[in-house]
Each structure stands twice: as C-alpha cells, then as structure tokens.
Amino acid sequence: MFDQIGLIFSTLVRGLPVTIAATLGGIALTVVLSFVAGLALLAPSRTVRFLSRVYVEGFRGTSEMVQLFWIYFVLPVLVGFELVPLFAGILVLGLNHGAYGAEIVRGAVQSVPKAQYEGAIALSLSPAQRMLRVILPQAVVEMLPSFNNLFIQLLKSTALLYFISAEELTERGQLLAPSLPIAQLVPIYVIELLFYLLLAVLITVGMRALERVGARRLGRRAPRRRSTPPVTAGGV
C-alpha cells in the first residue's frame, strides 16, 4: 500500500511545476488585464468603455472550457501555428479571470471617497497624477481581498488544462487512473486535494501579507473581511 501511495505521490509531484507555472502566469496576465480593462471601463471615451465592456462581458459570459477550445484548437488553424499547451492555458486563464478582475478594479476605484478626488484637484495634479498618486494607492488595498478569491479560483481552473494534455496536476493523476481499480483511486484525489489546498493557502498568506503592507503604507488597518458573494470565474 505504501509503495502504491509513493508511486501516486511521485507521479503527481511531477505535475506540480506545470500547475504552479500556469497559476503564476495566469495571475500575472490577470493583473495586467484587470487594470487595463478596469480603468478602461472608467475612461472618458465612450468607445474605450464600450470595447472594454465587450471584453469583460464576452469572457465572463462564456465557459472557460469553450474559450480553451477556441484558443488551443481553433486559433492555431487561423494563425497557422500550434500553441504550446501551457501557454494556451495561461492565455485562457488570464483572459477569463482578467475580465472578472476588471470589475474588481472598477469597483475599488469608484469606492474611493469623492473628497480624495477633490483634494487631488485642489493640489493641481493632472488626471494621471491623481490616479497614480492618490486614487490607486487607496483602491489597491481594497482590491486585495477580492483578488485573493479570484486567484484561488484561477488556481482551481488550472485543472482544465488536463483537456489539452498540459501535464499539470490533474492530468498526471488521470494517467494513473486507468491502471488502478476504482476502489484504489481515492488516494489520487486525496493527494491532489491536498496539493491544491496547500497552493491556495500559500496564495492567501501572500495576499494577506500584501494587505497588511498596503494598509500600513496608508496609515490604517488592513481592510476587514466583508461577507461578499464569492467570485465565480467561468464555468465548465
């Protein structure tokens, strides 16, 4: 039995680097797209707001599985070259979760008290200076709890990469499944669950550390956890 668990563990561990790489790459792309699209939703230009809204609603309103199919299988036919599974996965994760993150950014920026805008204008700061020096430093602290939820959702969504054989954690577990009877599949899913739980805890620890740092720089306590509905990033 211990030999079997050892085999399962060693097989799943080989998929862990791909899961971590997909998570980190997806988070990086999510952050960039969240701020670009979120600030675009607040832009003075109606065209910019419209284009950003099309992106946000398009990716929030469709399944990640369908998006993965289009980007990994259809896009290469259109552009003439095949995408690496990990890169295709990161692209889908970033595009999908970036659409949700855009609303987090928009809401946090709009939650900054109007007096802060008025004070920045009184100091003769340009619109860019007002946003970078006054508004965003306060808004970012408010965004962090919601981004924490979003990043954990992104981590769990890396399991979708199994369908394009990206050799991540879930796909490595599925390689073992055909060789084992149903009664012996439990250890596979227990170990997978523990790996995902560990990564989720690490994300939470890191994000809460950022909350404390951001709140300290603003001279206040870290924002309290509010009972907000969980972020649901796409569906299969």
Side-chain angles (χ1 to χ4, degrees):
M1 178 179 177
F2 289 106
D3 290 341
Q4 181 184 342
I5 292 178
L7 173 63
I8 293 172
F9 185 85
S10 62
T11 301
L12 292 178
V13 162
R14 287 197 288 273
L16 203 53
V18 178
T19 294
I20 294 173
T23 301
L24 294 178
I27 286 175
L29 185 56
T30 293
V31 170
V32 172
L33 293 176
S34 295
F35 277 89
V36 171
L39 295 177
L41 289 172
L42 301 171
S45 169
R46 184 174 299 178
T47 302
V48 172
R49 293 199 306 271
F50 173 76
L51 292 175
S52 182
R53 180 56 63 188
V54 168
Y55 158 67
V56 170
E57 298 305 331
F59 277 90
R60 288 199 311 172
T62 55
S63 166
E64 282 184 277
M65 179 63 71
V66 175
Q67 295 164 14
L68 188 62
F69 172 83
W70 276 91
I71 287 179
Y72 185 69
F73 293 105
V74 178
L75 184 62
V77 175
L78 299 177
V79 299
F81 63 87
E82 186 176 352
L83 296 174
V84 176
L86 177 59
F87 177 76
I90 289 174
L91 192 57
V92 170
L93 292 171
L95 286 168
N96 184 276
H97 292 81
Y100 286 88
E103 289 292 353
I104 294 174
V105 172
R106 180 192 61 78
V109 169
Q110 289 183 323
S111 72
V112 175
K114 188 177 179 181
Q116 299 294 320
Y117 290 88
E118 294 170 349
I121 293 173
L123 293 172
S124 300
L125 298 179
S126 68
Q129 289 173 326
R130 292 199 295 269
M131 183 60 68
L132 293 175
R133 296 185 181 183
V134 179
I135 308 306
L136 276 183
Q138 299 177 66
V140 165
V141 176
E142 299 299 326
M143 298 174 197
L144 291 176
S146 297
F147 270 119
N148 184 18
N149 292 336
L150 188 63
F151 294 160
I152 292 174
Q153 289 288 347
L154 187 151
L155 164 66
K156 293 186 288 186
S157 293
T158 60
L160 291 174
L161 273 62
Y162 154 69
F163 293 100
I164 57 173
S165 302
E167 297 189 356
E168 46 71 56
L169 194 56
T170 301
E171 199 268 346
R172 299 297 300 183
Q174 292 301 110
L175 291 177
L176 292 169
S179 62
L180 296 173
I182 294 178
Q184 296 180 17
L185 295 179
V186 174
I188 296 177
Y189 296 109
V190 169
I191 295 174
E192 283 184 7
L193 182 149
L194 292 175
F195 276 139
Y196 282 116
L197 179 60
L198 174 62
L199 294 174
V201 168
L202 291 175
I203 290 173
T204 298
V205 169
M207 293 299 289
R208 290 189 178 175
L210 288 177
E211 287 179 46
R212 290 192 293 271
V213 170
R216 247 194 329 265
R217 293 190 65 178
L218 294 178
R220 65 191 191 196
R221 294 182 180 179
R224 258 182 214 179
R225 300 291 181 287
R226 294 188 291 268
S227 55
T228 54
V231 175
T232 303
V236 178

